[in-house]
Each structure stands twice: as C-alpha cells, then as structure tokens.
Amino acid sequence: MIFKHLIHWVAAAALVAAAVSCGEAKADPVEEDPVKPDPPVVVDPVEYEFSADPVSLQFPAEGGEATFELRTEAVWTSRCDAEWVTYGHKSGQGDDTIIVSVPVNPDTQYARRATIVFEVDGEGTGSLEVEIRQEPGSGETPGPGPEMSVRVTTQQASDVKISSARLGGFYSEATADVREVGFEWGMSASTLDETLQVQVPGTDDNGSFSATLDGLSEKKTYYFRAYVILQSGNDIKTFYGSVLSFTTSASDGPATGSQPGWFELPAMDIAREGEYMVGATDNSLYYAWHISPDVYGPGGKLARNYTVCFSAEHHCPMWVAAPRHTMYTGSSGRNDSYRADPDIPADIQYSSKSTGGGCNKGHMLGSAERTCSKETNRQVFYYSNIAPQLSSGFNTGGGGWNLLEDYVDTQVCRDTLYEVVGCYFDKYTDGYGQTQTPSTISFGSRNDVSMPTMFYYVLLRTRSGSSGKSVRDCSASELQCVAFVRAHVNTLKGQKPSAAELMSVSDLEKITGFTYFENVPNAPKSTYNASDWGL
C-alpha cells in the first residue's frame, strides 16, 4: 500500500483521554468524545524503490574513477557524508549512471569509507545508500599492530516493558582505538543475529554505553551481549561480554489460543503449535494479534492494533483485521522498520524488504492509520502486514488500490469502523471485468511467494456513525456492512470506487471461505445498499 501523508492531528491525545464510542462497549479501546471533529482525509505518499548495481565501490589507495547504475522511478536527490568523494548527477529523475571519483588516500595507515545517500525529492518516500571504500594511502602498508585487548561487561537489562528494554554495557583497559560498540541480540543464546550499534562514548580506554531495544513482542525471552571493536593499524578485532537475557512483560490482551471478542474479527479456528497459533483444521494458517504497547483505550486497557491470518502456503497474509478510529492517528510519523512478525514463524515470512515481480510493498493496515505512537506504528511494518502489490497501476499514486484506500478513509466515523483487508489467490474476475490469474513471484528474498489475484475490504459500522452504542447492541437496521473487491491488476489505475465492485459480505464469504464479523450476530451480511456508502 502506498503510504499516506501524515497530517499532525494535534488533538489525538485528548481524543483518547475523553473518548466515548459507539463501537465495543467498555472493552472496546476505539472510543472518543462524539463532539470532537474527525480529522481530514489523508493520502499516502508513494513509496519508491531504489536499487544500485553494484551497491558499493572499492577504490585502491591511488584513487580513481568508477561507476554504478542507479535504478528508480522517482525524482531524486542525493548527498554524501565525505568531502573527498566527488560524483556527478547530484539529482535527477529515474535511472541514471553515476560516476564516482576519489583522490589518493593521504593516510598511509587507515582505510576510509563514505556513503552516498539517494532519496526521493518531493512527494513520496524511499532511499538507498551506496558505500564508497578506499584502501590505505601510498607508502608501505603497515603490518599488524600490537596485540589488542579490552575488558567488556554486559549489564542486566533495565526498564523491561511489553515491547522494549534498555541494554547497557561498559569496557575498560582498552589497548587500542575503540572503533565501534553496541549489542548483539536474538531469540536464543546461540543465535545473536541482530545488531544494535551505539555511538562510541569517547576516546578513553574505558567507557559505558546503553541503548533501547524496541519493536519486541510481549512475553518473549531475548538474549544479548555487549561488544567492543578495537582497531590497531590494519588489525580489527571484536571483543564480547557475557550473554544475558530478559523476558518482556505481558499485555492485557486476550489469552493466546482463544478467540477474542473483538468485533472486526473473522471466525478463527485456533489451535496451539508450540509457541504459535495455527488453524486447527488448516495448519498452514498462522494467527497473531498485536497490542499497542503504549496506547490505552477509555477502559484503561492497552488498545489493540491489528490481528493477522498469515499463509505458510502463499507466504503472504490472508487477511488483516483492525478497528479504525481517530484515536489511532497522531504525529508519530512512519519508521520503515520492516521486519519479521515475531509471533509467526520467520521461515514462512519474507526474509528482507526487497521487492520483485513488478510489485512493491503493500501495507494491509496502513502506516498512516497507526500514528498514535512510534511503537504502534512500528508493528504495522511486520512482514505479516505486507503483501506484494503491482507498482505501476495498483499500488501507486492514482492506482486502483490507493483510490479505494482513500475512499475507505472517508468511512472512519466517531463510531468505530471495523475492517478486514484481505487477499485472494485463485483466478478472479471483478465487477469491472478485470481478471487476474495465479502466479508465483520472487519477493522479499523468496522465490515462492504467491502474488494475490484479488484484494478486498470488508467494512462494518453504524449507519449514523455517531450512535454512541456498541455494535453488539445495535439491531441489523442500525448497522451497515459491505465488501469492496478489486482484481489485482494495473489497469484499474484511475478507477474510483463505484457500485460495480460491491458485493454482500455473505457472497464474499462464499468466495474466500472465511466467516466475517463472527462477534457481531446482527451484522446484515446478506444485504447492502450502495447508497449507504455514498455510491
């Protein structure tokens, strides 16, 4: 999904504190004061992909000239963090050949490196870093330096919360220059495959350092150790402290393995498989829900973020269900911290944020729809919330999916809007006569990802939008629900939502096999009126 411009809604905090909703009664965190106005409709910025071949250049001591190919569809600008690097074409549009020149390295002892950063110039997001390296200068290359040593201590984690912890370490008696410090961490003591780099505290032979590790999952045990990198001459060596662990605290969400009572949820046939939730009858489906670690609903409980059903067969989300309300929008911005969902096996998800198959990264639940806090926004960048979407006419400015997203934004009301955003993978022809057939693409550093043939929205809300009642307490005549369905094709670019793409929720259930709004018995799933939705 192409991400929306974030309009800083300065009243977001007050909305949460004073919230009164007609969504779920006291248990529903998506409530607000009905006298508060809704925010203006916001539009996602286009996310542009950048790539380079090669992604780094290595120069000899005497310098020279080299080129790389920049690939992008964006209007771009660039900057470099080193004065000794010169290059042509500081800005441009689309693909380009970049010529880089470096002079002789005057330092006969140390190699040097620099970074050229390319980024979108104007509307949109996306960036790329190209590394420039040069060997030590002319003259006799120094041999190994003196033997290096340092004492490194890992400190116990502090301020451990639902999704974050503070890590600390210190070093002493360093016998060479301190080049880098930080922490290695992971989900097991033998697999510390993530790195959290920290600014070197100074030039002394001893110092302390700390950093906050965030984006974690509740009730999970993490392992970590401090590290220090020393350099003497051309010699570089890493030293480690001991491995310690901590366990994040629990939220007050529903028990894992049970069917929550949230109104947006489809029926979930959940069983336990080790630490994961799987489908009891279809164990290729994995379930996870994510609770905001620092945003509270009117009842004093942490607000839910979204629930996902992820397919091990397709390596793609089947659906994402979420409440939509202005209490979730604020000024946190987007963090772009794409990563695997910690509550779904990593080996069935994408392993990187790379794209392919003519697709870019499409959010199911949008980043702009979760800007009430940085940690809440971080969760929507889990790979489980990302699907491949065609980039030239579907998930782009004026694309078929983006225009539908913009329309759905207009349906967010003082009463909560409940939505399910889903994918379909069999051959499909939509109400516009557009057809897509199944295909397998390379995406996210996998070569076995199913490209969806259709995307859909299922929406439920009160008719008035400001009734002050829980949807569970509403009669069918007080509610409206509908499905918006579009084939996953580029040819829908420019097509605004219309009645041609609508169908009843019960008709969509026959196609997908899922049962929507399981917890709202009075939801009028068999009927809809286009006029209720302004179409």
Side-chain angles (χ1 to χ4, degrees):
M1 179 185 80
I2 298 299
F3 311 107
K4 304 175 184 174
H5 289 302
L6 302 178
I7 297 177
H8 293 181
W9 192 247
V10 296
L15 292 176
V16 175
V20 177
S21 170
C22 77
E24 301 175 34
K26 294 182 179 179
D28 190 344
V30 288
E31 303 175 354
E32 76 166 349
D33 188 337
V35 304
K36 299 291 184 181
D38 291 330
V41 177
V42 294
V43 181
D44 270 351
V46 176
E47 181 187 21
Y48 291 97
E49 298 293 333
F50 285 81
S51 64
D53 184 19
V55 295
S56 64
L57 297 177
Q58 180 74 42
F59 288 89
E62 58 269 23
E65 186 176 277
T67 64
F68 64 88
E69 299 297 323
L70 177 68
R71 302 297 184 197
T72 184
E73 297 180 354
V75 176
W76 51 268
T77 186
S78 65
R79 64 183 187 277
C80 183
D81 60 3
E83 295 182 355
W84 52 272
V85 175
T86 58
Y87 63 101
H89 300 182
K90 302 294 190 300
S91 60
Q93 181 173 2
D95 299 346
D96 204 347
T97 300
I98 308 299
I99 302 174
V100 180
S101 299
V102 301
V104 173
N105 187 353
D107 192 323
T108 62
Q109 187 175 10
Y110 295 110
R112 60 181 177 177
R113 61 183 177 181
T115 302
I116 302 175
V117 178
F118 295 87
E119 56 194 358
V120 175
D121 185 10
E123 301 294 332
T125 63
S127 64
L128 171 73
E129 294 185 357
V130 175
E131 187 176 52
I132 312 299
R133 297 186 178 187
Q134 188 178 21
E135 297 174 357
S138 59
E140 184 177 354
T141 301
E147 183 67 23
M148 293 178 286
S149 64
V150 65
R151 186 188 301 268
V152 183
T153 301
T154 308
Q155 296 176 304
Q156 291 288 348
S158 62
D159 197 23
V160 179
K161 298 180 179 178
I162 294 171
S163 64
S164 64
R166 188 74 176 172
L167 309 185
F170 64 87
Y171 61 88
S172 60
E173 303 174 17
T175 61
D177 293 337
V178 178
R179 178 188 179 99
E180 184 180 312
V181 299
F183 303 93
E184 293 182 345
W185 63 279
M187 298 296 291
S188 72
S190 60
T191 310
L192 304 178
D193 52 3
E194 300 283 348
T195 301
L196 179 61
Q197 186 176 343
V198 184
Q199 183 176 355
V200 176
T203 58
D204 295 337
D205 60 2
N206 60 81
S208 61
F209 51 97
S210 63
T212 297
L213 181 61
D214 51 24
L216 308 177
S217 293
E218 62 171 312
K219 298 188 293 185
K220 297 284 187 181
T221 299
Y222 294 89
Y223 298 84
F224 69 102
R225 65 181 176 182
Y227 73 85
V228 174
I229 300 178
L230 300 185
Q231 180 168 0
S232 176
N234 280 348
D235 289 348
I236 297 174
K237 190 173 182 180
T238 305
F239 299 84
Y240 299 98
S242 57
V243 176
L244 302 179
S245 67
F246 64 89
T247 301
T248 51
S249 55
S251 72
D252 48 9
T256 301
S258 65
Q259 167 80 44
W262 300 327
F263 297 152
E264 68 273 12
L265 289 184
M268 299 165 64
D269 184 20
I270 300 175
R272 293 300 303 272
E273 186 176 275
E275 61 180 310
Y276 300 111
M277 293 186 292
V278 301
T281 56
D282 182 354
N283 61 9
S284 71
L285 299 180
Y286 285 78
Y287 298 94
W289 47 75
H290 297 292
I291 306 298
S292 174
D294 52 8
V295 174
Y296 292 84
K301 293 185 177 182
L302 288 168
R304 66 189 181 276
N305 196 346
Y306 66 92
T307 303
V308 58
C309 174
F310 194 86
S311 171
E313 175 186 358
H314 299 295
H315 308 291
C316 194
M318 298 297 291
W319 53 256
V320 169
R324 294 286 306 278
H325 195 272
T326 55
M327 70 162 280
Y328 286 102
T329 57
S331 58
S332 73
R334 53 178 290 145
N335 61 79
D336 292 301
S337 58
Y338 293 96
R339 64 179 67 185
D341 188 325
D343 295 327
I344 293 174
D347 61 357
I348 69 171
Q349 302 180 58
Y350 318 127
S351 57
S352 80
K353 63 179 183 179
S354 65
T355 57
C359 296
N360 53 23
K361 298 184 291 294
H363 277 67
M364 305 289 277
L365 175 64
S367 170
E369 295 154 19
R370 291 296 189 264
T371 55
C372 52
S373 75
K374 291 182 178 179
E375 291 306 313
T376 303
N377 184 262
R378 188 182 299 275
Q379 291 175 339
V380 300
F381 285 88
Y382 289 153
Y383 292 143
S384 63
N385 187 47
I386 304 296
Q389 292 187 325
L390 292 167
S391 59
S392 62
F394 195 76
N395 186 27
T396 186
W401 186 249
N402 298 99
L403 293 176
L404 179 55
E405 289 177 321
D406 294 343
Y407 175 81
V408 171
D409 289 345
T410 69
Q411 300 303 310
V412 177
C413 55
R414 292 190 178 99
D415 289 351
T416 303
L417 173 70
Y418 301 98
E419 72 177 23
V420 181
V421 190
C423 301
Y424 186 66
F425 298 94
D426 293 337
K427 183 178 179 180
Y428 186 76
T429 300
D430 67 13
Y432 297 108
Q434 302 296 313
T435 300
Q436 185 60 275
T437 56
S439 62
T440 301
I441 63 173
S442 295
F443 189 87
S445 296
R446 303 186 68 103
N447 59 9
D448 56 355
V449 175
S450 300
M451 187 183 78
T453 57
M454 173 261 275
F455 284 87
Y456 63 85
Y457 270 102
V458 188
L459 305 180
L460 169 69
R461 54 166 282 181
T462 58
R463 287 184 178 275
S464 70
S466 56
S467 67
K469 295 172 65 176
S470 163
V471 292
R472 182 180 287 122
D473 298 330
C474 291
S475 64
S477 63
E478 295 175 294
L479 300 173
Q480 61 186 54
C481 60
V482 75
F484 289 77
V485 185
R486 290 194 166 198
H488 185 205
V489 293
N490 284 316
T491 49
L492 285 177
K493 187 171 185 179
Q495 176 62 61
K496 294 182 178 179
S498 73
E501 66 198 80
L502 301 184
M503 68 172 61
S504 69
V505 176
S506 60
D507 282 344
L508 181 63
E509 290 177 338
K510 296 172 186 175
I511 296 172
T512 66
F514 292 109
T515 300
Y516 304 102
F517 306 129
E518 172 78 359
N519 297 319
V520 188
N522 290 332
K525 296 195 294 182
S526 62
T527 62
Y528 72 91
N529 292 309
S531 59
D532 290 341
W533 301 93
L535 300 175

